[in-house]
Amino acid sequence: MKNKCGNKSNKNNQFISIALIIAAIIMVIITIVVCANSGDNIPPQDNKKSAAVSDSKSKKTKESDSVSTFKMSMAGDYIIYSTIWKGANEAAGGEGYDFSGMVSNLKNYTKDCDVNYYNQETILGGTEMGLSDYPLFISPQEAGDAMVDLGYNLVSTATNHSLDGGEEGILKSYDYWSKQNGVFMAGTYDSQEHHDEARILECNNIKYTMLNYTYDTNGIPVPEGKEYLINVWPSDLTINDPAKDTKYQEYKKQVKKDIDAVRDKVDFLIVAMHAGVEYMPDESEYQDDMAQFLADNGVNLIIGTHPHVIEPAEYIGDTLCYYSMGNLLCSQYQDENYNKVTSILATMTVKKTVKNGETKITFEDLNNELLYCYFDQNTWRGHKVIPFSSSEIKDYMPEYKDVYNTYKDIFTKKDKRITLTPCAK
């Protein structure tokens, strides 16, 4: 018997085979399409991941790279002769001492600065000690008040007159400055502990500090065992050769120790250096040697005082050095060039740049103003600090343009990149 079902079964098998072949072809096509589409999508996905990694690295780099700034001013020697504090007493109506009128013009510079420096040449022992004049100065503390009121918050006190009042004068001075809120004083101390203390300041994300030294104390010996009272980097001017001055060379070890104690803790390191030869328009061999030593050891800014006249300024590598700022306020005889009554007041932007983990300090918008310390040559009164760029200078110094040109030549002769602000027209 024929299997009728058999014939029908064969036809069905043929249909099934054809259907399976078609299904297989469709599956192959779908697989090809899906794989093709998947392949197209892979690169964009990888690119996104790559871009994300790249952005992350870039972000980290940008986060580590930064720029910070603050504005700073610097002024010279503030020497309080008896003619000055007597005038201040008269300005106060005989009740205390008012120095504000003498230095009021400085506000034009300090008001826009975050850090303001000056050198307190004479010790602020105060009236309790008994005020005195040259050669042993004891000055009223109200002289400091006037400067603090103007915004001066960085003060050097290690000078050749620091021991004019002995240990008592330094202690009273230290006590005065320690009570001034927001003011940093360096150079003289009341204890070994305070001498050795590394005081780190910060302004606008820039950490900084200042060290201060004097070349001598006018022959007045530092009390034995109390060398902490004042930083003396001894210079024997009778030798006048730093290479042969053994005490001077030996003290470099202490200076380097002081620098090493703070160098890694700060971005910006200042040294106020009271040294040189009085009334000389050129820096001495000692000043040159000191400046090079300080620059070699990572000091960013050197502020020179003591010669009582203006000396040049220059860059030593990346270190900015002012050899002598001159007298900010004084009562000294003056020659035809007003040499002891002119000074430099500098303003600048201190810039800290961090790139690839390296920190660099640079100085921008550097302006150097010539100042005149006027007083009546007959009465030795009426002291007033006057900028050469102010039209007011015409009323106090008729020959101001000639005097300006004289000090422009002196100040800029070593480094023409450092200029002097033009005087009034």
Side-chain angles (χ1 to χ4, degrees), residues 124 141 144-145 148-149 152-153 155 173-185 199:
L124 299 185
Q141 294 178 341
D145 293 344
V148 173
D149 288 345
Y152 282 95
N153 52 11
V155 184
S173 167
Y174 188 90
D175 181 64
Y176 168 79
W177 288 114
S178 66
K179 293 176 180 176
Q180 305 307 309
N181 186 38
V183 177
F184 176 76
M185 180 275 291
R199 291 184 59 189

Side-chain angles (χ1 to χ4, degrees), residues 182-221:
V183 177
F184 176 76
M185 180 275 291
T188 55
Y189 308 91
D190 67 343
S191 66
Q192 189 69 53
E193 178 186 2
H194 287 144
H195 176 278
D196 297 341
E197 180 183 12
R199 291 184 59 189
I200 308 303
L201 311 173
E202 186 167 354
C203 180
N204 298 344
N205 198 38
I206 301 177
K207 292 182 179 179
Y208 70 99
T209 195
M210 181 177 74
L211 304 173
N212 176 214
Y213 304 89
T214 181
Y215 78 101
D216 193 25
T217 54
N218 288 347
I220 301 173

Side-chain angles (χ1 to χ4, degrees), residues 4-19:
K4 294 180 180 175
C5 282
N7 291 339
K8 188 176 180 180
S9 174
N10 288 338
K11 287 182 179 178
N12 289 337
N13 288 339
Q14 289 177 355
F15 285 127
I16 292 170
S17 296
I18 293 170

Side-chain angles (χ1 to χ4, degrees), residues 108-167:
N108 295 327
Y109 306 96
T110 59
K111 67 181 181 180
D112 295 325
C113 291
D114 305 291
V115 177
N116 295 293
Y117 162 89
Y118 84 96
N119 177 56
Q120 182 59 58
E121 176 84 20
T122 54
I123 204 76
L124 299 185
T127 54
E128 290 182 2
M129 282 193 69
L131 305 182
S132 60
D133 200 347
Y134 180 85
L136 299 175
F137 291 93
I138 303 294
S139 302
Q141 294 178 341
E142 288 86 346
D145 293 344
M147 299 300 276
V148 173
D149 288 345
L150 288 172
Y152 282 95
N153 52 11
L154 191 62
V155 184
S156 56
T157 58
T159 78
N160 54 309
H161 289 288
S162 295
L163 277 173
D164 284 4
E167 180 179 353

Side-chain angles (χ1 to χ4, degrees), residues 349-366:
T349 297
V350 177
K351 181 179 180 181
K352 166 189 153 184
T353 304
V354 180
K355 189 170 185 179
N356 299 325
E358 296 292 326
T359 299
K360 186 178 180 64
I361 293 292
T362 53
F363 305 99
E364 299 188 352
D365 304 319
L366 182 59

Side-chain angles (χ1 to χ4, degrees), residues 84-85 96 167 190 213 218 236 273 372 376:
I84 294 177
W85 52 258
E167 180 179 353
D190 67 343
Y213 304 89
N218 288 347
D236 190 341
M273 195 64 246
Y372 171 41
D376 189 310

